[in-house]
């Protein structure tokens, strides 16, 4: 194409297009221009130019046909121009990606479409999840049912009916009004009932709970003091006390009398003074509060997972009404099967008889039992895990622990929907955590007004750290200044109507025009009641 004659590019091609698209009345004029263009044209001397021109036409027609027949080409171009990083190029050590995959099951779907996960969230003991249709789990909804509330379609209610009941419904006097964030739970596993379809955006999550060794690095690096150390005590299971005489004078949890408040118990001494976490460095860290867990995740550049995210990782692709299971290994609820997959209490009487069918009376090392289909370990049993969200007096924990049963005959039923709440400052010997992290997205900016009188004068720093009060015009400015054309002070003169009152509308307009704006990172918002 570079070898084309300049006259052919500038004259021949436009004239040919002009002749093709013009009406019959203007074809004569186009033909005259076409002849003037080729007045000095010779077939022998422009043979190479004509060949290049034919190749140009062939390539143009081929690309146009390809875009028409293969929409994937246009989609790839759109994906390349959306500005988002490719999620396939991002990986974190010890973390697993949870999100929408392409048809091959390996390639991660980009951000040009909805790459989140939809699944049925809630307890496994409520059979109403079987009434939810498979179409509710699709990413693109269409048809006459597209306006329904997907979370409650199984109960035969439309979105309009649900909103009407919420706004005009009556409150049951016997139960009283429900507080903000209230959810109905099943009595066996504490899972949310009724099950409903939820959507979570793609995320990364640790493949295993945080261990004593990993938490020790955080403490030594930051000199962090856990809340159990600050308060001077934490809860220990009564059968794990070093001395039986401690039961006579110890305080117990009023809601769980088998847990005793032991002075001096914290993550380094899980059973109190005289015990040690040594030889348990690969066990999940315990006696950490919600704040302790959040501080560790923040130090690691991560955050606590939401319970919708956690359950999506725990169900590991068993999202629909047909393949949804009660336990990670299936529907079999016997100790003989469960001992191969999770650290639970077993057949013994709680809290004094633990036959250790699974090999452990207390916590077990992470990655001792097989992972689920996504590669996550200890999603059921071993320790409860802190979730973000909830209230300070009712923080959410998920997953069950080594003190739970399979059928809910004592404590909680350790199902995939197992859920409980506890005070945010609580530290016990069966609660740990793991961290999560969102994938990288493009950074979007917005401009907001800046009041220099109250927020200080705007300033930017160059690459050498020098502060410049006036932004340079040749750089990507973080500050834009909008000033009025005339620099006169605001006057309290009579308005155009001649009234005695000043024209405050005009004053406000001028004041808005002289304010400065600064560029800030646009905050991402997400519609969710998870937090």
């Amino acid at each position: 194409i570079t070898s084309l004659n300049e006259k052919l590019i500038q004259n021949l091609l436009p004239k040919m297009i002009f002749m093709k698209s013009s009406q019959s009345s203007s074809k004569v004029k186009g033909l005259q221009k076409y002849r003037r263009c080729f007045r000095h044209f010779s077939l022998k001397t422009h043979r190479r130019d004509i060949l290049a021109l034919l190749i140009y036409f062939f390539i143009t027609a081929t690309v146009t046909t390809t875009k028409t027949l293969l929409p994937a080409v246009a989609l790839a171009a759109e994906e390349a121009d959306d500005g988002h990083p490719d999620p396939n190029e991002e990986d974190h050590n010890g973390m697993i990606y949870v999100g929408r995959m392409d048809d091959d099951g390996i390639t991660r779907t980009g951000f040009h479409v909805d790459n989140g996960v939809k699944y049925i969230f809630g307890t496994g003991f409520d059979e109403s999840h079987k009434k939810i249709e498979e179409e509710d789990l699709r990413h693109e909804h269409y048809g006459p049912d597209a306006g329904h509330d997907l979370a409650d379609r199984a109960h035969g209610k439309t979105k309009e009916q649900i909103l009407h009941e919420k706004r005009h419904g009556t409150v049951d006097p016997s139960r009283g009004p429900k507080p903000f964030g209230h959810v109905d739970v099943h009595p066996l596993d504490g899972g949310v009932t009724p099950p409903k379809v939820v959507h979570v955006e793609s995320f990364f999550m640790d493949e295993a709970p945080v261990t004593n060794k990993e938490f020790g690095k955080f403490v030594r690096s930051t000199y962090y003091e856990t809340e159990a150390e600050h308060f001077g005590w934490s809860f220990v299971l009564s059968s794990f006390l070093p001395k039986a005489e401690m039961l006579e004078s110890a305080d117990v949890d009023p809601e769980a009398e088998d847990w005793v408040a032991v002075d001096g118990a914290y993550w380094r001494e899980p059973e109190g003074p005289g015990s040690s976490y040594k030889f348990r460095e690969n066990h999940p860290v315990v006696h950490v509060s919600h704040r302790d867990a959040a501080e560790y995740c923040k130090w690691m550049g991560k955050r606590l997972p939401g319970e919708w995210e956690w359950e999506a990782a725990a169900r590991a692709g068993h999202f629909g009404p047909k393949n949804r299971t009660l336990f990670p290994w299936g529907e079999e609820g016997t100790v003989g099967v469960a001992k191969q997959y999770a650290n639970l209490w077993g057949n013994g009487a709680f809290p004094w008889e633990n036959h250790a069918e699974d090999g452990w009376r207390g916590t077990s090392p992470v990655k001792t039992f097989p992972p689920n289909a996504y590669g996550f370990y200890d999603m059921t049993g071993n320790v409860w895990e802190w979730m973000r969200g909830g209230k300070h007096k009712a923080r959410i924990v998920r997953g069950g622990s080594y003190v739970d049963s399979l059928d809910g005959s004592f404590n909680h039923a350790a199902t995939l929907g197992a859920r409980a709440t506890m005070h945010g400052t609580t530290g016990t010997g069966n609660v740990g955590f793991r961290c999560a992290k969102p994938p990288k997205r493009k950074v979007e900016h917005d401009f907001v007004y800046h009041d220099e009188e109250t927020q200080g004068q705007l300033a930017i720093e160059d690459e050498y750290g020098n502060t410049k009060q006036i932004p340079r015009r040749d750089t990507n400015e973080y500050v834009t200044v909008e000033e009025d054309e005339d620099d006169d002070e605001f006057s309290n003169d009579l308005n155009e109507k001649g009234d005695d009152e000043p024209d405050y509308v005009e004053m406000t307009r001028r004041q808005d025009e002289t304010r400065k704006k600064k560029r800030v990172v646009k905050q991402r918002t997400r519609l969710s009641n998870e937090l």
Side-chain angles (χ1 to χ4, degrees):
I1 296 176
T2 57
S3 66
L4 285 175
N5 187 279
E6 183 179 1
K7 185 174 293 185
L8 290 176
I9 291 293
Q10 298 180 356
N11 296 306
L12 174 60
L13 199 57
K15 303 310 179 293
M16 295 180 67
I17 297 175
F18 173 79
M19 291 177 60
K20 184 177 179 181
S21 60
S22 300
Q23 300 178 358
S24 58
S25 60
S26 60
K27 285 185 178 180
V28 178
K29 297 181 180 180
L31 184 59
Q32 293 176 356
K33 294 181 181 179
Y34 173 77
R35 289 175 178 175
R36 288 196 299 269
C37 175
F38 279 88
R39 182 174 297 175
H40 303 287
F41 180 80
S42 174
L43 181 63
K44 293 182 180 181
T45 57
H46 295 84
R47 185 181 304 170
R48 184 177 300 175
D49 298 335
I50 293 175
L51 180 61
L53 184 62
L54 294 176
I55 295 175
Y56 171 77
F57 286 149
F58 176 76
I59 294 175
T60 304
T62 303
V63 172
T64 304
T65 305
T66 304
K67 288 185 177 181
T68 303
L69 298 179
L70 300 177
V73 177
L75 185 62
E78 180 183 354
E79 181 179 356
D81 295 335
D82 62 357
H84 289 291
D86 186 2
N88 295 281
E89 299 178 356
E90 182 180 3
D91 285 299
H92 301 279
N93 186 28
M95 304 189 77
I96 298 176
Y97 177 83
V98 179
R100 185 178 176 184
M101 296 290 184
D102 291 344
D103 295 335
D104 57 5
I106 301 176
T107 307
R108 302 169 185 172
T109 304
F111 293 102
H112 60 285
V113 295
D114 180 14
N115 62 352
V117 174
K118 279 189 174 182
Y119 71 99
I120 301 177
F121 166 83
T123 180
F125 290 107
D126 194 332
E127 297 294 333
S128 64
H129 73 270
K130 297 181 179 179
K131 299 180 182 179
I132 299 177
E133 301 179 9
E134 291 286 349
E135 286 77 7
D136 293 347
L137 302 177
R138 294 182 180 177
H139 289 264
E140 297 83 10
H141 297 279
Y142 55 91
D145 295 331
H148 285 206
D149 189 341
L150 300 180
D152 293 295
R153 187 201 287 185
H155 304 85
K157 298 179 181 179
T158 63
K159 181 188 296 185
E160 290 75 12
Q161 292 174 341
I162 295 171
L163 292 176
H164 185 273
E165 292 180 358
K166 290 182 178 179
R167 295 173 180 174
H168 307 286
T170 58
V171 178
D172 186 2
S174 62
R175 301 181 61 182
K178 296 180 180 179
F180 177 77
H182 171 81
V183 293
D184 294 325
V185 297
H186 198 276
L188 292 179
D189 62 353
V192 177
T193 182
K196 58 182 180 180
V197 176
V198 298
H199 173 273
V200 292
E201 297 180 357
S202 56
F203 62 95
F204 290 90
M205 195 168 78
D206 290 343
E207 60 181 354
V210 177
T211 62
N212 288 312
K213 182 178 181 180
E214 295 169 339
F215 194 79
K217 294 179 180 178
F218 161 66
V219 172
R220 290 191 295 271
S221 300
T222 62
Y223 298 95
Y224 182 79
E225 183 183 43
T226 63
E227 292 193 317
E229 297 174 77
H230 176 72
F231 295 131
W233 62 273
S234 186
F235 286 113
V236 178
L237 188 63
S238 57
S239 58
F240 287 177
L241 294 178
K243 297 180 180 180
E245 295 80 8
M246 298 176 62
L247 287 174
E248 299 178 358
S249 59
D251 297 328
V252 298
D253 187 349
E255 298 181 358
E257 297 181 355
D258 297 316
W259 291 92
V260 181
V262 177
D263 294 335
Y266 71 111
W267 71 275
R268 291 185 185 272
E269 299 179 346
E271 288 79 37
S275 62
S276 175
Y277 77 104
K278 297 297 183 181
F279 304 104
R280 285 185 281 183
E281 293 183 344
N282 291 326
H283 289 231
V285 63
V286 291
H287 296 289
V288 288
S289 65
H290 186 273
R291 177 176 174 269
D292 301 335
E295 290 292 339
Y296 173 86
C297 292
K298 183 179 179 181
W299 179 71
M300 291 291 294
K302 306 174 184 179
R303 59 168 173 79
L304 288 174
E307 65 168 326
W308 288 5
E309 295 175 337
W310 186 93
E311 188 167 331
R315 296 201 175 275
H318 297 163
F319 297 152
K322 297 181 179 179
N323 64 349
R324 197 168 187 259
T325 59
L326 192 62
F327 303 101
W329 57 86
E331 297 289 339
E332 187 66 28
T334 61
V335 176
V337 175
K339 68 179 183 180
Q340 306 174 25
Y341 298 94
N343 177 12
L344 301 174
W345 189 263
N347 289 323
F350 180 81
W352 301 105
E353 295 181 10
N354 189 338
H355 304 304
E357 291 92 347
D358 49 28
W360 304 92
R361 293 185 62 245
T363 59
S364 60
V366 299
K367 301 183 180 181
T368 298
F369 298 92
N372 63 8
Y374 278 0
F376 292 101
Y377 294 89
D378 292 337
M379 299 303 286
T380 295
N382 210 359
V383 292
W384 290 95
E385 298 178 15
W386 288 111
M387 302 288 108
R388 69 173 178 158
K391 300 180 180 180
H392 183 63
K393 295 183 178 180
R395 295 294 186 182
I396 304 169
V397 290
R398 296 296 305 268
S401 69
Y402 61 86
V403 302
D404 293 310
S405 60
L406 288 170
D407 55 359
S409 57
F410 57 88
N411 298 329
H412 286 75
T415 64
L416 289 174
R419 181 182 187 271
T421 57
M422 59 179 62
H423 199 282
T425 59
T426 302
T428 67
N430 68 330
V431 177
F433 68 97
R434 73 178 75 203
C435 302
K437 185 174 186 176
K440 295 180 180 178
R441 304 283 293 270
K442 70 176 181 180
V443 179
E444 298 179 355
H445 294 87
D446 194 7
F447 289 90
V448 298
Y449 282 110
H450 179 85
D451 188 0
E452 292 189 345
E453 295 183 358
T454 58
Q455 301 177 2
Q457 188 175 2
L458 285 176
I460 60 174
E461 293 183 356
D462 58 12
E463 56 184 345
Y464 304 104
N466 299 323
T467 301
K468 296 181 178 295
Q469 298 294 340
I470 302 177
R472 294 179 299 175
R473 292 294 180 182
D474 58 343
T475 60
N476 187 10
E477 299 175 1
Y478 288 85
V479 182
T480 61
V481 181
E482 297 182 2
E483 298 182 354
D484 196 5
E485 295 181 358
D486 49 349
D487 298 329
D488 298 337
E489 295 292 335
F490 300 132
S491 61
N492 293 331
D493 299 337
L494 300 180
N495 55 20
E496 296 179 358
K497 297 181 180 180
D499 299 334
D500 294 335
E501 297 180 0
D503 194 346
Y504 291 105
V505 178
E506 180 68 19
M507 294 172 57
T508 305
R509 184 185 66 81
R510 291 188 178 184
Q511 186 178 5
D512 292 340
E513 291 178 353
T514 56
R515 286 190 299 175
K516 296 182 179 180
K517 287 184 176 181
K518 62 180 179 180
R519 193 176 73 163
V520 296
V521 177
K522 183 183 294 186
Q523 297 293 330
R524 295 188 178 274
T525 58
R526 179 175 141 205
L527 298 177
S528 172
N529 60 0
E530 185 178 358
L531 303 181

